């Protein structure tokens, strides 16, 4: 096979991968998908023939996590900073309902099933102001480092949540 043919095949694969990644993301935003098998079936019905291992790598690349809902079922949730620019940056529209403090700790209330993905993004992108988070189904406990005021933490957390 000559180089030009190989390059053409590679370009088609990359285009398909890019389209597949976007499609996976959209499926997980629009639907309650609870397993990789279910997601694979949706992908195959839409012309994407891939293995479970490839899907697993795609989910990892997208930082899509499986979270437990209040009904006791699991679903895949897209992290907040992977939403497209077409989604408004209003935190309530991307899963966050409120941010309150109890002593030095911040408590974030989210839509059901969103807490783990949002907490993961805060942990990954946080500055030195945040030591870590603990997430449930719809609540995140944010543990700050010492020396930061509530106003500073509110600004930092809000920026992390609104990040797109």
């Amino acid at each position: 096979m000559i180089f030009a043919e190989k390059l053409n095949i590679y370009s088609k694969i990359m285009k398909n991968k890019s389209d597949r990644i976007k499609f996976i993301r959209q499926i997980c935003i629009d639907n309650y998908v609870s397993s990789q098998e279910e997601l694979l079936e949706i992908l195959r019905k839409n012309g994407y023939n891939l293995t479970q291992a490839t899907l697993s790598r795609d989910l990892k690349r997208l930082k899509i996590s499986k979270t437990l809902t209040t009904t006791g079922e699991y679903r895949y949730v897209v992290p907040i900073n992977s939403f497209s620019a077409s989604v408004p940056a209003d935190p309530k529209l991307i899963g966050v309902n409120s941010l309150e403090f109890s002593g030095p700790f911040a408590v974030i209330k989210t839509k059901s099933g969103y807490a783990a993905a949002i907490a993961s993004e805060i942990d990954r992108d946080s500055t030195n102001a945040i030591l870590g988070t603990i997430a449930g189904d719809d609540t995140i406990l944010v543990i700050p480092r010492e020396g930061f005021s509530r106003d500073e933490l509110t600004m930092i957390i809000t920026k992390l949540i609104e990040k797109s």
Side-chain angles (χ1 to χ4, degrees), residues 31 47 52 64 71 77 97 111 115 120 126 138 143:
N31 302 283
Q52 184 277 329
I64 292 176
T71 61
V77 178
N97 295 328
K111 292 181 182 177
S120 176
S126 67
D138 62 357
I143 303 164

Side-chain angles (χ1 to χ4, degrees), residues 35-142:
S35 69
Q36 286 191 8
E37 294 79 19
E38 184 180 349
L39 188 51
L40 272 173
E41 184 63 28
I42 293 169
L43 288 163
R44 287 180 179 143
K45 284 181 180 178
N46 286 278
Y48 294 97
N49 190 17
L50 63 149
T51 65
Q52 184 277 329
T54 299
L55 177 58
S56 186
R57 284 190 296 274
D58 289 348
L59 291 171
K60 186 174 181 177
R61 177 179 178 183
L62 288 164
K63 296 179 177 63
I64 292 176
S65 61
K66 200 174 198 180
T67 61
L68 184 65
T69 67
T70 55
T71 61
E73 299 171 330
Y74 285 93
R75 74 172 280 205
Y76 285 105
V77 178
V78 177
I80 59 173
N81 75 352
S82 72
F83 280 84
S84 68
S86 65
V87 176
D90 180 353
K92 290 184 180 186
L93 297 178
I94 56 174
V96 174
N97 295 328
S98 68
L99 168 65
E100 296 182 52
F101 284 85
S102 178
F105 304 111
V107 177
I108 302 170
K109 295 288 188 173
T110 71
K111 292 181 182 177
S112 180
Y114 280 68
I118 293 171
S120 176
E121 291 300 314
I122 291 171
D123 286 337
R124 188 175 57 83
D125 293 338
S126 67
T127 63
N128 61 349
I130 298 172
L131 184 60
T133 61
I134 300 172
D137 176 61
D138 62 357
T139 306
I140 303 167
L141 173 63
V142 180

